[in-house]
Every structure is written in structure tokens, then in C-alpha cells.
Amino acid sequence: MSFANKRPGGRILPVRRLTPHIDPQKQFEKLATAIGEIYKHNSSKLLFEELYRIGYNLVLSKNGPLVYDGVKGVLETHLLDCVHKGILKNMETASTMPTISNNEALLSSVRMLWSEHVTAMLIIKDILMYVDKVYVKSAHLPSVYEMGMHVFRDKVLLAANGRFNTGVKQAILRQMDYERRGNEVNRSTLRSIVDMFIELMDATRLRPLYETVLEPQIILESIAFYRGVASRRISEQGAPEYTRAAQSDIDAEMDRVDAYLAVQTSKPLRDVLLHELITVHDAEILAVPSNGIVRMFEQHDVSGLAVLYCLYSPLPSSFKVLQGMTRGHIASIGKKLSESFVVQSESETRSQENHGSTAQTVTAAAAARTAMALRWIQELISTYGVYDDFTVKAFAGSKDMRNTINGAFIDIINANDRAPELLSLYIDDVMKSGLKGKSDQEIEHIFERCILLLRFLKDKDAFEHYYKVHLARRLLLARSLSEDAEQTLISKLKVECGSQFTIKLEGMFKDIQTSADMESLFKTSPVGAGLGLDMHVSVLTPTFWPAMASSASDSSTQDSRLQPCQTSNNALIDNATSRFADFYTNHRSGRTLTWQFNMGNADLKVHFGTRTHELNVTTYQMFILLLFAENDGAVELSSKEIQAKTGIPTPLLSRLLQSLACAKFKVLTKTPMSRNISPEDKFRLNMGFRSPQYRIRIPMISAKNTVETDKEKAATMATISQERQYVIEAAVVRIMKTRKQMAHDQLVNETITQLSSRFMPTSKTIKVSIERLIDREYIMRCPNNPRLYSYLA
């Protein structure tokens, strides 16, 4: 048998390297000596490759534990020696005499030892890199560097049964306390010591010692310190000074965190300061007598309020206190404004009672009440502007603070049951005279504030009622300064309240434009030629315009809204009105004109002897003056005769005669001379009348839009209540038509929800409306459940 062609079997083994015998202990002693040199700052004299080779060989020769435990022992010995040589002495000195310098000496010695140890461990880690890579990893031990940190923790910080740790910690806290009291300390040293606590881990909790040992003590010391600070300050300082000092303390602590504390300490430390300085004393700070938040508002301390807001806004409970006191302060302002308005009205009422309610006293009182009402709205707008400015500049545009301020003004404006009327009067005054000399931006601002107050109103339907009346007078008497401004405001009202709110207002403007076009056609037609006078006619759609049966001059009163006369008893005027009526009916077949002389005005040229004046009067005043045109003004008529010739209702006639014979411009003479008008009083044209002005406007008694009396107010509210009844019934029908069947409580709540944007109906009013709808068979009660309603198609 031959093996010549067979390949040899088996595996070829590598050549075994023969290494010389190594004494592990002697090799480790070289490492220990090198570590000593590293701590002596002689690392430049060492051969790092040789030291690395020693660690490498010891691991290969299965002496990894000798290296690891031996290095640990060397580190422990060295650190204990350093602690006993000088650091413990510094600690005892700092404990017995805790001055800034003694604290600094202790912390500096610890800082130096820590710095040397960290530097040394970085070098040792590099030398024993193979030990880390092979032995430490397989034995599941901390790395060489981590082991060195643990040794420092256990043999330095926790030395002497933890007294050293306590001493270092107390030194840090004392230095912080000194700095808080205005002394200068070495922040660099504190930074290094804090970094040491951050890097060293708690063996039990596996978190940095900073978090488990140092930070809790910093927080506790801060609580105690600032609790005392707050107690002292609150009795000595007002709100502006206190809050600025508190903010300064917080800024100082945040600077302290940036300088030498851990970043994560920022939030708990800030929370502690806010709690001790603000939350504990939140109401007391704001309510400091004569130097609290009220004074800050009164002095327009925007910067102080900004600081206060920054301190209170992060604290929910304290922020509610700030909101409450702000709202209460604004409410007190509103109460003073409202009280001044009420007192003014009451004083005028007593004055009328004491002096007798003559036409002049009544007019003066009404004018004064109206002026006061306008001031009330103006003050409200001005006050809101101030606090809106606070919201932007002091409260950082806070939505919560804006809602608080708005809520206060909502309460103020709705506490005055005349607010809808007063707001409409204010707008009326603005449109008549308040826009003179104003820029477009200023006008826009005024309108925005008016819309804002309207938004605050709960009874928007009452405002709509008054606004229609006041707008009608402005349009018919041409008292508005700018039609563009009127249209702009109506556009804003439409956006705010919806198209249903402004449909009649827009219809009124359309009537005025249509009337102008109709008048132009009339004057160019044969019918309009040769009238003998220049006549302007406004044709109004009854559904758009408020019912005004009384004189436009007297339209502020509702108890005297009597039916106007339909003829002037003057041939010239009756001919003109008749011809226009014929012309109109030819162009608008099926329509009937009803003349409202109470809403017109006229210009008359009157000769008073040798003097001639142009008088601007109401249409009714013109009817009266035309009676004296015969016989060169030598006509004498009694009040009773004037009433018979003109057909003007007696109560209205008395005020007309007072305006012509008893007011500032006495174009008629009255016998006997008194302010009261009786049926037998005689009137003549005052031929001796003189005035420096050629054109004179003779106002009617109570000619202007004025605040209603209580009696007039009651009549208006009765009208509004009737209108609300219709609106409620319509809303109930709409809801039931959609839902078909609904429980009583649900129907009431849904109705309130739908109508709350216009007014707030009561449950009782809604119930009455439901009963009426049941009687009229719009809805019915279910036979088996009387509180369940069904819609009847």
C-alpha cells in the first residue's frame, strides 16, 4: 500500500511565542510609581508606551485584578493623605469661623485636589486603556476613570463619616448667603466645586451628588432666606418697590445659576422665590394702603405693572388675585362715574321741583342731563383706552388680562340701564359735531371704541331702537356732518351685529337717496313749476323709519307723541304739498302719502320794521309765523285762535309758542309776559326784534336729542318689550320648525342661546310667548307629557 499520493491530514498550529517570565508585582510597582509622579506633575518624564505595555502584559498574563485593584488602592492612599495633610484643617477652621476667606480657603483646597485628581485620572485612563478595553469590560466593572471618581467620592467627600461632605456643602451655602447679602465671593471656585458635585455620582441613587446632596440644601436655604426677606419688606415697602425688589432677587438668583449652579436648578429656585416672595403675600402686596396696585394704576406706572405682571402671571392662584383686584378697581371707577351721573340727575330733578318745571328749567335740566350722559360715555371710553394701553404695554397683550378688563367694563356699562340710550346719544353727538377737525384715523378710533361699547352691551336691541330714532332725526334734519361717516359706522354695525341689525338703517339711507331723485324729477316737471317756494320732500318707507308722530324738535319725549296735523291751513303750502302728492302718486301708483309736518323745517325771511332776518324754524313754527304775515305783522292772535287755525295739538303748541315768545330769540311778543302758556294769552309779531346775526336758528324747546325722563324711559321700554315679544315668538317658531318636538327646558335654553346676542330674555317671558303660540296653534303640548311641545305645520 502506497501513501505517496495522499495529502497529510490535520491542522497546522501557529508557532507558539515564547515570552520571558514577568514578575507581576514588580511590574505593577512601576505603574504605582508612575501614578505618584503623575500626581506630582512629573508626567512629562514618564515613558507612556512602556507604561501602556506594562498594563497590556499584566492583562495578558491574567493579572487584570492586580492592576485594577492596585490602582484603586494607590488612589485611595494618595487622596486620604492629601485630605489629612491640609483639607481637614481648612474644614475645621471654616466650621468654627465661617468667614468668607475661611470658606474660600476650604473650597479652594478641595478645588485644587479635585482638579489634580481629574487631570491625573485622564492620564491614568489613557495609560490603562487596554485594561479598560479587555479586563474591565469582561469583569463588568466601572471604567478606570469612573473608579477614580468613586474613590474621590468615598475617600474625600465622604471621609470622616461624611463630615467633610457636610463641611464643603455648608461652605458653599454660606458663600451663597454672603453673596445674597451683598458681599463679593469667588464664583470661579464655587463653579468648580459645583461641577465636582455634578460629576460625582451617588452610589445609592445613581444620580449626581449635586441632585441628591447639594441642590436640596440650596433650595431649603433659599426658602428660609427669602421668607425672612419677604416678611421684612412687606411691612416697609409698597407694591412697586416690593415687586421690583422681588424681580431683582429673581434676576440675581438666575445670574447665580448661570455663574456657578447647575442649569436644572433654575426652575425649582425660581419657583421657590415666586412662592415665598409673591404667592404667600400676593393679596397683601397688591392691597398695600395708598401704595398698592390702585396707586400704580392711578399713576400710570406701566413699568411697575409690567414687573408685577411678570411675577404674578406664572402663578395661577396669585394671577387670579391680580385679576380680581384689577377688576375690582375698574368696577370702583365705574361706580364713581355712574354715581356722578345719578347724583347729577337727582339734583336737577330737585331743582325743577324747587323752581317749578317751567319750559326753560325743563330744557336746561334736560340739556345738563344729556351733557352729563355724554361725559359718562366719553369717560368710559377714555378709561377703557387707559386700561387697554396697560394691557398692551404692561400686561404683554395678555388675553386673560384683556378678558378681565373687558369683563369689568361689561359690568359697568350693563349696570346702567340707560347705557343703550346714552351710547346712541354719544354717537349722535359725534355725528353732529364731534367729527370736526378729526383725521380719518381719529374717526376710525372713535368708531372702534363705540363698537366696543356696543359689544359690551347686553341689550343691543334697545340700542338699535334709540339709534334708529337718532339717525332718523339726523337724516331728516340734515344734521349729520358726514354721510360717509354714517355709512362707515353702519358697515361696522353690520359686521358686529349682522345684516338683520342694519337692514332698516340701510333702508333709511336708501329712502333719502330715492327722495332726492324724486325731488329732482318733481322740480323739473311742469307740476313743480311756479310753486312760490322752494320745497324739499323726503318720502319715507314706514317699515324702515321709527314712528315719530310728535315734532322732531320734541322727539325726545314720548308722552307727547300725538297725531300730527295733515294740513297747514296755508294756501301756498297746501297747494305745494297737493301738487307733489299728485306727482308722486302718478309715478308710484298704489301708494299713499301721509304728511309728517312735525319732522320738517323751514327758512323764512321776516321783516321786523326796518330790519330783516332769515329765521330757521321747524315746519310747525313756520305755520304759526305765517299767521302774522298779514297786515304787515299787525295781527294779534290768542293761543286758542292759533290752535284753531293750525290744528297743532295743544301740548305741542304751548312749547312752540314758548320757543317763539319766551326763549332767547323773542320774535313774538306775549301778553301777559310769563313763561306759562294759557288759551287766552295774546301774541303779536315783535316789530322791535333785533339781533346782530342775519340768519337765526330758533330752536324748539327740548329741540335736541336729550336723555329721556323716567316717564319717557318707561314708555320706550314698553315699546322695546313689545318688540322683544315678537322676536321671542319668531325664535321659538324657528326652533320648533327645525326640531319638530322639544322639551320645555330645552326650548327655553335654545331660545336664550339664539337671542343672547341681541338681549337676554327671561324664562318667564319665553314661557308667556310659548303660551301665546299654543293659543294661536303654532305649537301644541303632547297629550302624554305637558312639558313636551310639538310643532304644528
Side-chain angles (χ1 to χ4, degrees):
M1 188 173 186
S2 175
F3 296 94
N5 296 326
K6 296 189 69 172
R7 298 180 64 179
R11 182 165 59 91
I12 299 176
L13 299 175
V15 178
R16 184 176 182 182
R17 291 190 298 176
L18 300 176
T19 58
H21 177 71
I22 300 175
D23 185 351
Q25 192 61 42
K26 288 183 179 180
Q27 293 296 312
F28 175 74
E29 287 176 0
K30 290 183 180 181
L31 280 178
T33 302
I35 291 172
E37 292 300 319
I38 290 172
Y39 273 107
K40 292 177 183 178
H41 307 289
N42 293 327
S43 58
S44 61
K45 299 178 181 180
L46 300 175
L47 298 174
F48 285 91
E49 183 178 356
E50 180 184 350
L51 295 173
Y52 178 85
R53 177 69 62 180
I54 291 172
Y56 175 81
N57 289 332
L58 287 174
V59 171
L60 286 181
S61 61
K62 308 299 183 182
N63 289 301
L66 172 64
V67 179
Y68 190 86
D69 294 336
V71 170
K72 183 177 180 181
V74 171
L75 296 177
E76 289 175 347
T77 302
H78 173 76
L79 291 175
L80 284 173
D81 184 56
C82 290
V83 169
H84 287 286
K85 277 185 178 180
I87 297 180
L88 282 178
K89 182 179 179 181
N90 289 336
M91 186 188 73
E92 296 297 335
T93 304
S95 298
T96 55
M97 292 186 296
T99 63
I100 294 178
S101 58
N102 289 340
N103 292 329
E104 175 65 24
L106 170 61
L107 296 176
S108 294
S109 60
V110 175
R111 174 191 185 185
M112 184 175 295
L113 179 61
W114 166 252
S115 178
E116 291 176 350
H117 180 69
V118 170
T119 303
M121 287 309 303
L122 290 173
I123 298 173
I124 294 169
K125 177 193 72 171
D126 290 340
I127 292 172
L128 301 178
M129 186 182 300
Y130 190 78
V131 177
D132 262 344
K133 184 177 181 180
V134 177
Y135 170 72
V136 170
K137 186 175 181 180
S138 62
H140 303 291
L141 295 172
S143 68
V144 172
Y145 183 84
E146 291 174 350
M147 177 265 290
M149 297 300 104
H150 295 168
V151 170
F152 190 93
R153 175 195 66 203
D154 298 335
K155 300 305 177 181
V156 178
L157 282 186
L158 301 182
N161 297 322
R163 287 191 303 111
F164 188 79
N165 174 40
T166 303
V168 173
K169 183 173 61 179
Q170 290 300 321
I172 294 173
L173 296 174
R174 286 194 295 268
Q175 292 295 82
M176 289 181 66
D177 185 73
Y178 280 128
E179 188 179 38
R180 283 168 175 163
R181 298 179 189 278
N183 299 293
E184 187 175 348
V185 299
N186 190 334
R187 287 188 165 190
S188 176
T189 301
L190 289 170
R191 175 80 260 181
S192 298
I193 300 300
V194 168
D195 286 343
M196 177 188 74
F197 274 93
I198 292 173
E199 186 162 353
L200 297 177
M201 300 295 291
D202 189 313
T204 305
R205 302 182 187 179
L206 301 179
R207 291 163 57 196
L209 282 176
Y210 178 84
E211 295 181 12
T212 62
V213 174
L214 184 57
E215 187 180 58
Q217 282 299 118
I218 291 174
I219 299 302
L220 290 175
E221 290 292 326
S222 300
I223 291 173
F225 178 80
Y226 285 105
R227 184 170 294 169
V229 168
S231 299
R232 291 193 302 273
R233 285 180 185 165
I234 199 68
S235 60
E236 300 171 357
Q237 298 178 341
E241 297 81 7
Y242 185 94
T243 51
R244 284 189 173 95
Q247 185 62 55
S248 177
D249 289 337
I250 293 174
D251 292 341
E253 290 298 329
M254 294 304 101
D255 179 63
R256 209 162 280 126
V257 169
D258 292 339
Y260 55 81
L261 297 179
V263 175
Q264 65 262 28
T265 307
S266 173
K267 185 179 185 308
L269 188 57
R270 178 186 287 274
D271 292 344
V272 162
L273 264 69
L274 287 173
H275 180 268
E276 295 300 328
L277 296 175
I278 303 299
T279 304
V280 175
H281 305 284
D282 48 17
E284 194 176 357
I285 295 167
L286 301 180
V288 173
S290 73
N291 201 15
I293 191 172
V294 173
R295 187 181 179 193
M296 295 175 76
F297 280 129
E298 291 174 347
Q299 293 186 342
H300 298 271
D301 187 0
V302 173
S303 61
L305 288 169
V307 172
L308 188 147
Y309 171 76
C310 289
L311 294 174
Y312 275 70
S313 57
L315 309 170
S317 60
S318 299
F319 188 59
K320 287 182 179 179
V321 174
L322 173 62
Q323 288 178 300
M325 289 203 171
T326 301
R327 187 161 186 160
H329 169 63
I330 297 173
S332 66
I333 294 175
K335 185 178 180 181
K336 290 178 182 177
L337 288 175
S338 299
E339 284 176 351
S340 65
F341 175 68
V342 172
V343 168
Q344 180 81 10
S345 301
E346 290 177 350
S347 64
E348 288 157 2
T349 302
R350 287 193 296 270
S351 175
Q352 292 179 35
E353 292 173 352
N354 295 335
H355 298 90
S357 58
T358 64
Q360 191 168 10
T361 57
V362 170
T363 302
R369 274 199 315 275
T370 303
M372 187 64 208
L374 298 178
R375 284 198 299 274
W376 185 77
I377 293 291
Q378 183 59 59
E379 286 292 331
L380 208 58
I381 291 175
S382 299
T383 305
Y384 182 85
V386 170
Y387 287 88
D388 184 60
D389 197 47
F390 285 142
T391 303
V392 175
K393 296 181 179 178
F395 302 143
S398 166
K399 183 178 179 181
D400 292 328
M401 286 304 296
R402 187 179 296 280
N403 290 339
T404 297
I405 291 171
N406 287 352
F409 279 91
I410 288 172
D411 293 340
I412 292 171
I413 195 168
N414 288 290
N416 188 343
D417 60 354
R418 291 182 177 270
E421 177 192 6
L422 303 188
L423 178 57
S424 181
L425 278 172
Y426 176 79
I427 295 174
D428 184 68
D429 183 70
V430 167
M431 291 299 187
K432 287 179 178 178
S433 59
L435 301 181
K436 289 180 179 178
K438 294 285 194 302
S439 65
D440 291 342
Q441 291 79 6
E442 290 172 325
I443 293 173
E444 181 72 14
H445 178 74
I446 292 172
F447 287 170
E448 286 178 357
R449 285 292 184 252
C450 291
I451 294 296
L452 182 72
L453 293 188
L454 173 62
R455 189 177 303 145
F456 292 164
L457 276 177
K458 292 180 180 178
D459 295 335
K460 293 182 176 61
D461 61 330
F463 169 81
E464 180 187 6
H465 173 88
Y466 286 109
Y467 189 79
K468 284 193 297 185
V469 173
H470 296 153
L471 175 62
R473 295 170 192 158
R474 292 199 300 273
L475 294 179
L476 294 177
L477 301 178
R479 298 288 171 79
S480 182
L481 288 178
S482 170
E483 184 176 338
D484 290 341
E486 295 277 9
Q487 295 280 15
T488 299
L489 183 57
I490 288 179
S491 298
K492 291 182 177 295
L493 291 173
K494 188 174 185 178
V495 172
E496 180 67 26
C497 304
S499 58
Q500 194 64 31
F501 188 90
T502 58
I503 188 169
K504 292 185 178 180
L505 304 179
E506 292 170 336
M508 292 162 69
F509 275 97
K510 186 176 180 181
D511 279 351
I512 294 297
Q513 182 59 49
T514 303
S515 297
D517 296 340
M518 180 62 69
E519 181 184 326
S520 178
L521 288 174
F522 174 70
K523 288 183 177 180
T524 57
S525 69
V527 181
L531 290 179
L533 52 83
D534 186 11
M535 182 175 70
H536 300 274
V537 181
S538 297
V539 183
L540 314 180
T541 305
T543 54
F544 294 155
W545 297 76
M548 296 183 192
S550 65
S551 169
S553 308
D554 187 48
S555 52
S556 64
T557 62
Q558 296 185 16
D559 58 327
S560 60
R561 287 182 180 174
L562 309 173
Q563 288 297 323
C565 58
Q566 290 298 305
T567 179
S568 66
N569 290 312
N570 181 280
L572 184 64
I573 296 174
D574 288 343
N575 174 60
T577 55
S578 177
R579 288 165 68 175
F580 181 85
D582 293 339
F583 173 81
Y584 182 81
T585 53
N586 288 333
H587 284 75
R588 299 285 192 274
S589 59
R591 297 190 182 182
T592 303
L593 292 181
T594 301
W595 291 94
Q596 297 282 338
F597 293 121
N598 54 312
M599 293 304 299
N601 61 84
D603 291 331
L604 294 177
K605 280 188 179 181
V606 182
H607 301 284
F608 299 96
T610 59
R611 299 291 296 272
T612 300
H613 291 279
E614 184 176 307
L615 305 182
N616 177 256
V617 294
T618 67
T619 307
Y620 278 161
Q621 288 173 326
M622 177 188 71
F623 290 170
I624 295 171
L625 290 175
L626 288 177
L627 298 178
F628 297 93
E630 301 174 1
N631 300 327
D632 295 328
V635 178
E636 183 178 73
L637 298 171
S638 66
S639 174
K640 186 176 181 180
E641 291 171 331
I642 294 173
Q643 198 279 329
K645 288 178 179 291
T646 60
I648 300 173
T650 302
L652 180 56
L653 179 63
S654 296
R655 285 189 287 276
L656 291 166
L657 291 173
Q658 285 175 336
S659 66
L660 295 170
C662 305
K664 179 179 179 181
F665 302 106
K666 298 180 177 59
V667 295
L668 296 181
T669 59
K670 175 181 176 294
T671 306
M673 295 184 64
S674 66
R675 293 194 174 275
N676 295 325
I677 306 296
S678 64
E680 304 304 324
D681 289 347
K682 301 293 185 179
F683 295 88
R684 295 175 62 92
L685 190 65
N686 184 6
M687 303 305 292
F689 175 77
R690 297 291 184 272
S691 175
Q693 299 141 345
Y694 172 74
R695 180 177 171 83
I696 302 170
R697 181 173 175 270
I698 300 180
M700 171 71 177
I701 298 297
S702 301
K704 297 181 180 179
N705 291 327
T706 58
V707 178
E708 293 178 327
T709 64
D710 292 340
K711 189 174 181 180
E712 295 162 357
K713 175 71 175 175
T716 299
M717 289 311 300
T719 303
I720 294 173
S721 297
Q722 185 62 48
E723 293 172 353
R724 287 179 177 177
Q725 195 68 55
Y726 300 143
V727 173
I728 293 172
E729 290 178 4
V732 170
V733 170
R734 283 197 305 272
I735 294 168
M736 290 302 300
K737 188 174 182 179
T738 304
R739 305 288 289 274
K740 304 303 181 185
Q741 197 173 70
M742 209 170 187
H744 176 80
D745 292 340
Q746 290 179 325
L747 180 57
V748 170
N749 292 335
E750 183 67 21
T751 304
I752 291 173
T753 301
Q754 287 198 11
L755 299 180
S756 59
S757 60
R758 286 179 56 81
F759 63 94
M760 191 62 66
T762 63
S763 299
K764 182 178 179 181
T765 307
I766 296 173
K767 184 178 180 181
V768 171
S769 297
I770 292 173
E771 294 294 338
R772 291 182 178 178
L773 292 172
I774 291 173
D775 293 339
R776 286 147 55 191
E777 298 183 352
Y778 281 93
I779 59 177
M780 65 172 286
R781 285 192 176 89
C782 293
N784 299 329
N785 187 354
R787 293 188 65 80
L788 187 65
Y789 303 114
S790 296
Y791 176 71
L792 297 176

